[in-house]
Amino acid sequence: MAELMSRPLFSISIALHPIHELGRTPAGERRVVPVSGGTFEGERLAGEVLPHGGSDLLLTRADGSFQQDVRLTLRARDGALILMTYRGVRHAAPEVGDRIARGEAVGRSEYYLRIAPFFETASPDHAWLNRIVAVGVGERRPNGAAYEVFEIL
């Protein structure tokens, strides 16, 4: 089997509003985390994460890991709008998870946070995004998250 190859797509930093705790639902412990803005920067794509243009429907699973279901609206520097959706998983040792929950800065090497983004746009200049698969390696920050996103070749 051939090894996967990738190239950097962009780095993204996402700011978040306070969490809305929905509580225990049939699916698990559910939180809604509205996005308050952010930026993304890459060689081929850069711009801003629009405020109030997305949220994370975060689910705490029975095994203690978190499942992300995120929708973001990006605005490229040329004004094009791009929908970024991703699913992801975060898991950590209980003591590391407690530190993250308290809002402490915890290095990404201390836990696992990976995402699988997809993109949707009507912009002819960015239509190539509609046809790629991407992955990201993330870091939870006290008031947001940051990811290094890669296009899978």
Side-chain angles (χ1 to χ4, degrees):
M1 177 176 235
E3 186 175 316
L4 284 178
M5 295 178 35
S6 66
R7 66 176 166 175
L9 185 57
F10 56 69
S11 298
I12 186 167
S13 179
I14 303 165
L16 302 171
H17 287 293
I19 296 169
H20 300 292
E21 299 278 352
L22 266 65
R24 184 155 306 281
T25 72
E29 191 77 22
R30 178 70 71 183
R31 299 174 181 159
V32 177
V33 189
V35 172
S36 64
T39 60
F40 61 100
E41 184 73 39
E43 187 177 302
R44 297 174 291 151
L45 189 65
E48 67 176 318
V49 178
L50 295 182
H52 309 290
S55 65
D56 181 356
L57 302 176
L58 189 63
L59 182 68
T60 305
R61 301 188 317 193
D63 65 0
S65 64
F66 292 91
Q67 178 179 302
Q68 298 169 281
D69 184 359
V70 178
R71 307 285 185 270
L72 301 175
T73 306
L74 309 179
R75 183 181 2 242
R77 288 196 179 135
D78 64 2
L81 294 178
I82 302 161
L83 176 65
M84 177 180 175
T85 63
Y86 60 88
R87 299 284 301 254
V89 174
R90 184 183 89 207
H91 63 83
E95 60 277 4
V96 173
D98 291 345
R99 289 172 49 212
I100 293 169
R102 288 193 301 267
E104 295 179 23
V106 179
R108 70 173 63 188
S109 64
E110 295 188 61
Y111 56 95
Y112 182 93
L113 176 53
R114 305 292 187 271
I115 62 171
F118 286 87
F119 303 93
E120 184 178 335
T121 185
S123 166
D125 290 339
H126 301 290
W128 57 274
L129 286 166
N130 296 322
R131 300 181 300 271
I132 68 167
V133 172
V135 297
V137 177
E139 174 180 4
R140 182 68 168 95
R141 295 183 174 167
N143 294 312
Y147 299 94
E148 297 297 323
V149 179
F150 300 86
E151 176 185 0
I152 299 301
L153 301 175

